[in-house]
Structure formats: structure tokens, C-alpha cells
Amino acid sequence: MTKFLISQDFGTRHDLLRFGAMLKAEWRLLPGTENEFRAKRLLLHAPVQGYMVVDTGFAGIAIDGDVAKELNLPAVGRTSVQGVEGNILQSSYRALLLMSVGEIDGEKLAIGVPVKAVCLPKIRASYDAYGLATQEGTR
């Protein structure tokens, strides 16, 4: 069995405690969705790059509502989400999640996984307030 090591340099332990575990990541349309958009002559948006928060208290994968809108993702259903506000039905989307795993000989490597993600509004805005940016300048 092959094991992967995924790491992120937070600079200090304080930053890890302050922000939580995060990985550089990118949201994209699934290839099939991209083909449908092209066939319908719909606008294809650039991938959304930034950080992915690893939340061990959440039993699934979530996407920020603004990111889903930015990619023009079509909703594929609704999912019940338990939070401080109780059970809430949120839209779900299918997308490609790319997680950065580093570089080898100058080549950037990522693992791409097609996922069904539930919409959690304003996640990105709450983290953008911290001014976090990747080395490339994306949030």
C-alpha cells in the first residue's frame, strides 16, 4: 500500500493553533460538467485556488457558497447539515477538489478527487479576514 505525506508549513505553531490544519487546494468543474458548459456555450470560470480547512468535527466535504457560485456549479441536491443553528438543508454540488502535495523537480503535484460537497456559506470570508495567502498570492 502506498502512503502519501501531505504537509503545509504554517511558519509557527501559533499559526496552526490559530487557523487550524489547512492545505493548499483548488476547486474546479468536473471534466463532464466542463464539457456540458462548452456544449451549451456557458462561461467557464478559472479554478478557485486557496486553502482547504481540515475540520475533524465535520463528517463530509464542504464548499463555500461563493466558490460554488464563482464556478457556476449546478446544485445536485440538498444535504442536512447539523450546526450551531440546528439541522439546516444546504445545497450540494459535484466538483473536482485538487489538494496540493508539493513539488518534485520543480513540478507542482496535486491529488484530484471528484467530490459531492455541501454548501456552507461564508467559510472563505471568515478565513479571508485573516489575510492568509499562498506563495502565489491566492487565498
Side-chain angles (χ1 to χ4, degrees):
M1 172 185 257
T2 303
K3 293 185 180 183
F4 291 93
L5 172 64
I6 301 174
S7 66
Q8 176 67 43
D9 181 9
F10 290 94
T12 68
R13 180 183 167 137
H14 174 72
D15 289 343
L16 176 60
L17 293 172
R18 182 173 167 207
F19 304 121
M22 293 184 288
L23 302 170
K24 288 182 200 175
E26 177 176 302
W27 287 104
R28 291 177 173 248
L29 292 174
L30 288 168
T33 306
E34 228 176 73
N35 292 337
E36 288 175 24
F37 277 33
R38 280 192 184 96
K40 294 176 182 176
R41 298 182 187 265
L42 296 174
L43 181 62
L44 289 174
H45 295 276
V48 178
Q49 301 174 337
Y51 285 101
M52 177 179 108
V53 179
V54 179
D55 181 352
T56 58
F58 188 73
I61 295 176
I63 187 169
D64 183 276
D66 291 338
V67 172
K69 285 180 188 173
E70 196 172 323
L71 287 172
N72 199 23
L73 292 174
V76 295
R78 301 198 34 97
T79 302
S80 178
V81 177
Q82 176 72 35
V84 293
E85 299 155 351
N87 272 343
I88 299 174
L89 282 176
Q90 295 286 10
S91 295
S92 296
Y93 302 92
R94 293 204 184 279
L96 183 63
L97 176 60
L98 291 167
M99 296 168 281
S100 176
V101 293
E103 289 188 21
I104 294 181
D105 297 329
E107 295 289 325
K108 293 181 182 180
L109 300 175
I111 296 172
V113 181
V115 298
K116 182 178 178 186
V118 63
C119 173
L120 293 183
K122 307 299 177 193
I123 299 171
R124 183 169 64 172
S126 64
Y127 276 86
D128 279 352
Y130 291 113
L132 300 174
T134 64
Q135 290 175 343
E136 297 81 18
T138 56
R139 294 182 183 271

